[in-house]
Tab-separated table of all heavy atoms in Angstrom:
chain	number	residue	atom	x	y	z
A	962	LEU	N	-12.233	6.797	4.441
A	962	LEU	CA	-11.856	5.934	3.428
A	962	LEU	C	-10.871	6.592	2.443
A	962	LEU	O	-11.044	7.849	2.215
A	962	LEU	CB	-13.048	5.479	2.529
A	962	LEU	CG	-14.074	4.597	3.275
A	962	LEU	CD1	-15.310	4.493	2.508
A	962	LEU	CD2	-13.439	3.227	3.535
A	963	GLY	N	-9.896	5.893	1.948
A	963	GLY	CA	-8.961	6.583	0.989
A	963	GLY	C	-7.781	5.705	0.740
A	963	GLY	O	-7.773	4.499	1.064
A	964	TYR	N	-6.714	6.264	0.165
A	964	TYR	CA	-5.571	5.621	-0.203
A	964	TYR	C	-4.443	6.009	0.688
A	964	TYR	O	-4.313	7.145	1.141
A	964	TYR	CB	-5.167	5.948	-1.737
A	964	TYR	CG	-6.152	5.475	-2.664
A	964	TYR	CD1	-7.261	6.262	-2.992
A	964	TYR	CD2	-6.079	4.211	-3.249
A	964	TYR	CE1	-8.205	5.823	-3.856
A	964	TYR	CE2	-6.992	3.676	-4.119
A	964	TYR	CZ	-8.065	4.564	-4.485
A	964	TYR	OH	-8.953	4.101	-5.324
A	965	PHE	N	-3.505	5.006	1.007
A	965	PHE	CA	-2.346	5.348	1.839
A	965	PHE	C	-1.156	4.456	1.262
A	965	PHE	O	-1.329	3.477	0.704
A	965	PHE	CB	-2.584	5.150	3.220
A	965	PHE	CG	-3.440	3.965	3.645
A	965	PHE	CD1	-2.776	2.783	4.043
A	965	PHE	CD2	-4.883	4.039	3.641
A	965	PHE	CE1	-3.570	1.681	4.395
A	965	PHE	CE2	-5.575	2.956	3.999
A	965	PHE	CZ	-4.993	1.765	4.407
A	966	SER	N	0.064	4.931	1.597
A	966	SER	CA	1.226	4.342	1.073
A	966	SER	C	1.852	3.359	2.063
A	966	SER	O	2.200	3.742	3.176
A	966	SER	CB	2.257	5.449	0.722
A	966	SER	OG	3.557	4.865	0.501
A	967	LEU	N	2.024	2.088	1.593
A	967	LEU	CA	2.690	1.129	2.451
A	967	LEU	C	4.134	1.513	2.803
A	967	LEU	O	4.587	1.410	3.933
A	967	LEU	CB	2.704	-0.218	1.742
A	967	LEU	CG	3.244	-1.404	2.487
A	967	LEU	CD1	2.519	-1.702	3.766
A	967	LEU	CD2	3.305	-2.597	1.581
A	968	CYS	N	4.805	2.087	1.802
A	968	CYS	CA	6.251	2.460	1.964
A	968	CYS	C	6.338	3.604	2.950
A	968	CYS	O	7.178	3.575	3.816
A	968	CYS	CB	6.808	2.944	0.656
A	968	CYS	SG	7.143	1.626	-0.494
A	969	GLU	N	5.483	4.535	2.957
A	969	GLU	CA	5.485	5.639	3.894
A	969	GLU	C	5.205	5.118	5.310
A	969	GLU	O	5.877	5.496	6.276
A	969	GLU	CB	4.438	6.718	3.518
A	969	GLU	CG	4.822	7.592	2.339
A	969	GLU	CD	3.858	8.650	2.050
A	969	GLU	OE1	3.021	8.977	2.906
A	969	GLU	OE2	3.895	9.183	0.930
A	970	LEU	N	4.306	4.240	5.462
A	970	LEU	CA	4.006	3.670	6.748
A	970	LEU	C	5.175	2.866	7.289
A	970	LEU	O	5.480	2.914	8.436
A	970	LEU	CB	2.728	2.761	6.764
A	970	LEU	CG	1.429	3.484	6.517
A	970	LEU	CD1	0.271	2.533	6.373
A	970	LEU	CD2	1.183	4.544	7.576
A	971	ALA	N	5.839	2.163	6.437
A	971	ALA	CA	7.037	1.354	6.822
A	971	ALA	C	8.156	2.197	7.213
A	971	ALA	O	9.005	1.802	8.061
A	971	ALA	CB	7.417	0.447	5.660
A	972	ARG	N	8.246	3.462	6.744
A	972	ARG	CA	9.331	4.370	7.072
A	972	ARG	C	9.055	5.162	8.397
A	972	ARG	O	9.942	5.845	8.926
A	972	ARG	CB	9.585	5.343	5.963
A	972	ARG	CG	10.246	4.793	4.786
A	972	ARG	CD	10.861	5.803	3.860
A	972	ARG	NE	9.826	6.687	3.323
A	972	ARG	CZ	9.239	6.479	2.055
A	972	ARG	NH1	9.724	5.636	1.253
A	972	ARG	NH2	8.331	7.338	1.658
A	973	VAL	N	7.881	5.108	8.983
A	973	VAL	CA	7.535	5.790	10.188
A	973	VAL	C	8.396	5.291	11.302
A	973	VAL	O	8.527	4.118	11.553
A	973	VAL	CB	6.043	5.714	10.559
A	973	VAL	CG1	5.777	6.285	11.907
A	973	VAL	CG2	5.247	6.426	9.414
A	974	ARG	N	9.094	6.241	12.005
A	974	ARG	CA	9.899	5.916	13.205
A	974	ARG	C	9.235	6.470	14.428
A	974	ARG	O	8.993	7.692	14.482
A	974	ARG	CB	11.291	6.348	13.029
A	974	ARG	CG	12.059	5.708	11.938
A	974	ARG	CD	12.302	4.192	12.342
A	974	ARG	NE	12.457	3.364	11.128
A	974	ARG	CZ	11.647	2.466	10.718
A	974	ARG	NH1	10.619	2.113	11.273
A	974	ARG	NH2	11.960	1.769	9.571
A	975	LEU	N	8.932	5.633	15.336
A	975	LEU	CA	8.314	6.019	16.547
A	975	LEU	C	9.201	6.005	17.817
A	975	LEU	O	10.289	5.528	17.642
A	975	LEU	CB	7.037	5.028	16.788
A	975	LEU	CG	6.015	5.036	15.707
A	975	LEU	CD1	5.128	3.879	15.808
A	975	LEU	CD2	5.187	6.390	15.621
A	976	PRO	N	8.752	6.499	18.898
A	976	PRO	CA	9.568	6.397	20.185
A	976	PRO	C	9.970	4.952	20.429
A	976	PRO	O	9.285	4.013	19.988
A	976	PRO	CB	8.794	7.021	21.240
A	976	PRO	CG	7.725	7.878	20.490
A	976	PRO	CD	7.502	7.259	19.155
A	977	PHE	N	11.053	4.802	21.138
A	977	PHE	CA	11.615	3.574	21.583
A	977	PHE	C	12.098	2.561	20.467
A	977	PHE	O	12.076	1.384	20.628
A	977	PHE	CB	10.619	2.877	22.477
A	977	PHE	CG	9.971	3.655	23.560
A	977	PHE	CD1	8.617	4.043	23.479
A	977	PHE	CD2	10.803	4.181	24.581
A	977	PHE	CE1	8.114	4.828	24.474
A	977	PHE	CE2	10.215	4.954	25.513
A	977	PHE	CZ	8.857	5.355	25.500
A	978	GLY	N	12.262	3.186	19.275
A	978	GLY	CA	12.727	2.417	18.132
A	978	GLY	C	11.616	1.607	17.433
A	978	GLY	O	11.885	0.704	16.598
A	979	LEU	N	10.395	1.985	17.720
A	979	LEU	CA	9.294	1.205	17.184
A	979	LEU	C	8.849	1.773	15.811
A	979	LEU	O	9.206	2.918	15.475
A	979	LEU	CB	8.085	1.255	18.111
A	979	LEU	CG	8.280	0.572	19.507
A	979	LEU	CD1	7.094	0.961	20.427
A	979	LEU	CD2	8.415	-0.893	19.350
A	980	GLY	N	8.017	0.958	15.101
A	980	GLY	CA	7.511	1.449	13.837
A	980	GLY	C	6.021	0.968	13.762
A	980	GLY	O	5.499	0.317	14.663
A	981	ILE	N	5.350	1.290	12.692
A	981	ILE	CA	4.043	0.781	12.455
A	981	ILE	C	4.030	-0.725	12.429
A	981	ILE	O	4.961	-1.305	11.850
A	981	ILE	CB	3.437	1.376	11.068
A	981	ILE	CG1	3.449	2.876	11.239
A	981	ILE	CG2	2.100	0.724	10.803
A	981	ILE	CD1	2.641	3.493	12.303
A	982	GLU	N	3.065	-1.380	13.023
A	982	GLU	CA	3.021	-2.834	13.099
A	982	GLU	C	1.764	-3.362	12.405
A	982	GLU	O	0.793	-2.620	12.241
A	982	GLU	CB	3.069	-3.246	14.532
A	982	GLU	CG	4.388	-2.922	15.265
A	982	GLU	CD	4.520	-3.440	16.681
A	982	GLU	OE1	3.651	-4.347	16.951
A	982	GLU	OE2	5.325	-3.019	17.349
A	983	ARG	N	1.802	-4.581	12.093
A	983	ARG	CA	0.701	-5.377	11.558
A	983	ARG	C	0.017	-6.205	12.719
A	983	ARG	O	0.739	-6.848	13.470
A	983	ARG	CB	1.148	-6.363	10.476
A	983	ARG	CG	0.078	-7.207	9.887
A	983	ARG	CD	0.539	-8.107	8.748
A	983	ARG	NE	1.836	-8.586	8.747
A	983	ARG	CZ	2.147	-9.884	9.254
A	983	ARG	NH1	1.123	-10.628	9.727
A	983	ARG	NH2	3.390	-10.232	9.308
A	984	ASP	N	-1.276	-6.193	12.765
A	984	ASP	CA	-2.007	-6.988	13.736
A	984	ASP	C	-2.078	-8.412	13.210
A	984	ASP	O	-2.902	-8.667	12.244
A	984	ASP	CB	-3.417	-6.381	13.912
A	984	ASP	CG	-4.199	-7.103	14.989
A	984	ASP	OD1	-3.863	-8.379	15.249
A	984	ASP	OD2	-5.181	-6.605	15.470
A	985	ILE	N	-1.209	-9.265	13.656
A	985	ILE	CA	-1.118	-10.636	13.073
A	985	ILE	C	-2.430	-11.396	13.380
A	985	ILE	O	-2.636	-12.462	12.707
A	985	ILE	CB	0.121	-11.348	13.478
A	985	ILE	CG1	0.167	-11.533	15.033
A	985	ILE	CG2	1.376	-10.659	13.052
A	985	ILE	CD1	1.257	-12.376	15.512
A	986	GLY	N	-3.148	-11.111	14.294
A	986	GLY	CA	-4.401	-11.842	14.605
A	986	GLY	C	-5.645	-11.254	14.036
A	986	GLY	O	-6.718	-11.785	14.248
């Protein structure tokens, strides 16, 4: 449990041009 930054997660760049995603379901 803890705190995390939405901006930092949004800036993450992953392989294949992907980023962190939201589980819409």
Side-chain angles (χ1 to χ4, degrees):
L962 292 170
Y964 295 91
F965 41 96
S966 167
L967 181 63
C968 291
E969 286 182 18
L970 292 176
R972 284 195 300 261
V973 170
R974 292 296 156 243
L975 300 166
F977 313 111
L979 298 171
I981 300 301
E982 295 185 15
R983 173 174 43 92
D984 182 342
I985 60 173

